[in-house]
Every structure is written in structure tokens, then in C-alpha cells.
Amino acid sequence: MVTFLPFKGYRPRLAAGETTESRVSPPYDVIGDDYLKQLQSNPGNVTNLTLSPDADKRHTKSTKLLDEMIQTGALLQDEPSYYLYEQTFTSKGKEYCRRGLVGILRTEEYSEGNIIPHEETFSKVKADRLNLLRDMETHLESIFGIFPGLGEELTKKVINEARLCARYVDKDGVEHQYRRISDETLCAEIAEKLKDQKMLIADGHHRYETALNYAKENPGNEAKQFVLCTMVAADDPGLVIWPTHRLIDAEDIGETSALKKIEKKMSMTEVTEEEMEAQLKDHLFGMIFKSGRCFLLDNKEESDNIMFQLDTYSAQENILKGIYKSDEGKSKVSYNAELEPVKQEMAEKKHDAAIILNEPSLDTIWDLAGKGKRMPKKTTYFFPKIWSGWVFYKME
């Protein structure tokens, strides 16, 4: 079971001339330097809390700013509520709407079997976010979870009850709508429904694990056992998952040498770039090299390790670690979830090679995660990202 509750959220109260755009942002880990400067030019923007330009180990400036925003009324506090977060967007020419239910989730060990991870994490990121939690005692950003769902009848009740709080269309054309659900009876019904369900962490593994560590530091404080969470039903028609392609910069292995070594490990079929895209779904993954040569790749033989059926794992073990020694620091790996920019960078010969992956399957993710398997970092890219700044959970 999971404990997923309504809470007294703090939401932006816009001053004269202020817009929703001035307060919200994409999650902190996907913002480029130029865009961050633009966001932080608005004093009340959430990035001035999550990524303070003067941040130190104690995050004192962020804490002071949050206190000021509450004291001056720039943030208002609701009575206990859930929130409905709707994102309307286009992916590959098709329009979708994804609905997420926002509340606070009780943290617990993965070993309990109720909260299920699916990706590995970076410890360095978790350390910085833990310091932020210790000083601010506030969850500023939401994790993203997938759960079986509320059922048709209860979902209709939620949609009908939700009252619009904020609306914004971002630079990528995604329309964000944030709605509040405050009816006590309905909130109680939602909480009861979730008790019999499990949740897969779709995005925000670092934030969840940081929140769990923080909860362990505060065992007697009930409010600090929870993390801000957005839950999306597994059958939501707007649940779109993109692959995250790998770009390789090798230090001391040339293309000819790499191809000879890869051929010993994997089955390779040379194709044109157009053929690679058209036939990719019938193969494990594809590769583009600096010379422009393209290949479709598959495992040479079945392995007792079921993880090798996953393209990101096979690519990590056979190519990134096995050939380019990325785990030894002998090559640099970067990531991009959009294929066109990857193709453009390869055409401009900016990288030695690129690994082109298939769209991840939610069924595969559930299956492997349910068996306790952790996928390589950045196996999935749930589009669009869950934005921040709509509501905060202050652990009072």
C-alpha cells in the first residue's frame, strides 16, 4: 500500500503585473545556463530557491527568500487539498493530455515493495539536494510516479471537482493547467483508493531517495516522512515515453578499432540513416559513427541475464563499458532525448559515435522494476517534464 495524502500547499499569489511564467520552471536538472539566468531575473521564480546563484552548503539565501515570500503573501497557503496537474502537448504530430494527481507521499524503503524504482541514481546529486532539504524543510519540486489509477468513476469526480489555479503555455507549446481539489469527502476517497496500490517512480529517483534519507534523519517528525509527488495513472493516454540517446566522445579508440571490437560482441547490419530509423523497432538499437556509417545492432546470443533484453543495458555493457570504457573515464557520454538534434550533431562530426535507442515500453519497465531490476541511468524520458513552482510542501 502507499500513503498518499492531501496537504496544505503553498501556491504563488501573483502581484500586479506578475504572470505565472515568472514563478514556474522546468525541473532544476534540465535547465541550461542561459535559460536559468532568464528565469532567475524574476525574483519570485522557483529557481531562486532550488538553484540559488549564491547557494552554499547551508542554502541560507534560499531559505531566507522562501520565508520572505510567505511573510509578504507572495505565497498563500491552502487548506488540505490535492491538485490536478494537466499538461496538453504534441509528440510526433499527435496531441495528448496527461493528468497527474498531486499530493504528499509517505516515503519508505524500496524493500517494502510499494514504491518501485526503475533507474540507477547519482549519489553526488542526492547529497546537494539533501542539504537543501535540511535547511529549507520544504519540498519545492515533485517526484513523478505511475500508479494503477483511480478508476473511471472516481477520476470523473476528480476532474469535475478540480478548480483552476493557474495556466501557462511554455516555449515548447506545452499547456500547463493546475487545479485544486479541496472537497474533504473526495480527498478522503482518493486517499483510501490509493492504500491498495503500488507506485513506480517514473522520474525523480534522486528526489525520492533524498526525501527518504531526510525522513530517516527525522524519525519522530511525521510531516518530514513525506515527499511532494505527482501521480499519473498507468492507463493515462498522455503517458508518453521517449528514449534517451547516447553521444560518445572517445579519447583513444578510433572508429575502425571500435567497429572491429563491437562486431565481436554484437550482430551488426550496416544500413543507411533512413533505413536505420525505419527498421530500428525490429532491432535492439542503432549506431551512427562520425564517418556517417550507420548500423543496426542485436545481441549475438541469449543471456541468462534478462537485462540484456533491454537496449539501454546492452548498450551500456557491450558498447559504453565494453568498448569505450566509459566506466573507467576513458570516454565521455552525453544524452539527448530528441533524435533530430542527435543526427545534426553527428552530421557536424561533433562526436565519435551515437547510440540510437527505441522508445521504452511501460510494460517492460513495470516488469523489470517489479523483479527488482534497476535500469541504467536515463533509460526513460517521460515527456513532458513535471514543472516546478506550482505548489510547495512545507514540512510544518
Side-chain angles (χ1 to χ4, degrees):
M1 61 173 285
V2 298
T3 303
F4 185 66
L5 303 177
F7 66 107
K8 294 183 176 182
Y10 279 92
R11 289 188 292 112
R13 184 173 70 177
L14 303 180
E18 197 175 20
T19 64
T20 297
E21 180 181 13
S22 67
R23 296 291 194 96
V24 299
S25 85
Y28 75 91
D29 53 349
V30 297
I31 304 172
D33 291 341
D34 291 340
Y35 189 30
L36 179 60
K37 290 178 182 178
Q38 177 186 332
L39 291 168
Q40 291 186 331
S41 66
N42 301 299
N45 191 270
V46 62
T47 55
N48 286 305
L49 301 173
T50 57
L51 294 168
S52 172
D54 298 317
D56 53 29
K57 290 183 179 180
R58 300 301 303 168
H59 298 279
T60 51
K61 184 170 183 178
S62 297
T63 304
K64 182 180 178 182
L65 176 59
L66 179 64
D67 290 342
E68 288 176 354
M69 292 174 74
I70 292 172
Q71 291 166 7
T72 61
L75 292 172
L76 60 87
Q77 188 175 30
D78 291 325
E79 290 303 308
S81 306
Y82 286 111
Y83 301 86
L84 187 65
Y85 183 17
E86 296 182 343
Q87 291 169 288
T88 303
F89 60 97
T90 299
S91 178
K92 295 186 177 180
K94 184 177 178 181
E95 186 172 282
Y96 298 88
C97 178
R98 188 179 70 197
R99 291 190 175 98
L101 187 66
V102 184
I104 54 171
L105 174 75
R106 178 182 286 277
T107 59
E108 58 181 65
E109 296 284 359
Y110 294 142
S111 59
E112 296 292 323
N114 298 312
I115 311 296
I116 305 170
H118 82 273
E119 283 188 349
E120 299 168 344
T121 55
F122 300 93
S123 58
K124 179 180 177 181
V125 177
K126 287 183 283 189
D128 174 67
R129 295 297 97 181
L130 182 56
N131 285 330
L132 185 67
L133 268 188
R134 285 168 176 159
D135 294 311
M136 301 195 72
E137 299 184 325
T138 302
H139 284 286
L140 303 167
E141 299 197 295
S142 172
I143 68 168
F144 176 7
I146 298 174
F147 73 118
L150 296 176
E152 185 176 350
E153 184 178 342
L154 185 51
T155 297
K156 285 181 179 178
K157 287 184 183 179
V158 167
I159 294 171
N160 291 335
E161 171 63 25
R163 298 293 178 262
L164 186 65
C165 300
R167 176 185 177 276
Y168 169 59
V169 179
D170 68 32
K171 60 184 179 64
D172 293 321
V174 179
E175 179 185 20
H176 306 256
Q177 292 194 42
Y178 224 76
R179 303 175 185 272
R180 182 182 169 215
I181 304 153
S182 57
D183 181 83
E184 290 185 22
T185 302
L186 181 55
C187 286
E189 190 175 352
I190 293 169
E192 186 64 28
K193 181 71 173 181
L194 269 292
K195 284 184 178 180
D196 297 325
Q197 303 197 15
K198 300 185 181 212
M199 189 203 77
L200 175 78
I201 300 177
D203 202 0
H205 289 77
H206 293 100
R207 289 189 284 280
Y208 180 81
E209 292 171 18
T210 298
L212 178 60
N213 289 334
Y214 183 70
K216 290 177 182 178
E217 291 182 355
N218 297 275
N221 190 316
E222 180 68 5
K224 293 181 179 180
Q225 305 308 301
F226 290 82
V227 62
L228 187 62
C229 178
T230 302
M231 302 265 256
V232 175
D235 62 354
D236 188 291
L239 198 54
V240 173
I241 315 174
W242 289 356
T244 306
H245 311 296
R246 277 67 169 145
L247 294 156
I248 305 167
D249 295 301
E251 285 188 3
D252 54 8
I253 179 169
E255 183 172 314
T256 301
S257 176
L259 285 169
K260 287 180 180 179
K261 291 179 179 181
I262 295 171
E263 194 170 16
K264 291 178 182 179
K265 289 177 172 287
M266 304 198 72
S267 297
M268 301 178 67
T269 304
E270 186 163 8
V271 291
T272 65
E273 187 176 284
E274 292 76 17
E275 289 171 335
M276 183 194 67
E277 285 189 64
Q279 301 172 30
L280 184 62
K281 63 181 181 297
D282 298 320
H283 297 269
L284 200 58
F285 58 87
M287 287 191 73
I288 304 174
F289 288 87
K290 183 179 281 187
S291 65
R293 296 179 73 185
C294 298
F295 295 85
L296 289 166
L297 287 83
D298 293 284
N299 294 323
K300 271 196 169 181
E301 55 188 39
E302 288 190 17
S303 169
D304 293 335
N305 184 349
I306 61 171
M307 291 299 290
F308 275 98
Q309 298 172 20
L310 187 69
D311 55 2
T312 52
Y313 188 84
S314 180
Q316 172 182 279
E317 298 302 311
N318 286 323
I319 308 298
L320 300 179
K321 291 182 179 180
I323 306 299
Y324 290 100
K325 308 299 179 186
S326 61
D327 56 331
E328 300 173 17
K330 293 184 178 179
S331 63
K332 177 185 174 184
V333 181
S334 51
Y335 306 87
N336 197 318
E338 297 187 65
L339 181 56
E340 290 306 314
V342 169
K343 289 163 54 180
Q344 182 62 37
E345 289 188 24
M346 292 307 299
E348 295 172 0
K349 303 187 184 302
K350 290 184 176 180
H351 307 279
D352 292 290
I355 296 175
I356 310 301
L357 301 167
N358 279 293
E359 292 182 1
S361 159
L362 184 57
D363 288 341
T364 300
I365 295 167
W366 267 110
D367 182 49
L368 291 174
K371 293 174 180 176
K373 301 297 184 181
R374 290 270 203 132
M375 301 176 194
K377 304 173 185 74
K378 299 187 182 296
T379 289
T380 56
Y381 186 101
F382 287 85
F383 180 83
K385 288 285 187 178
I386 298 288
W387 277 45
S388 307
W390 308 104
V391 67
F392 303 147
Y393 169 51
K394 191 166 179 59
M395 294 174 281
E396 299 169 314

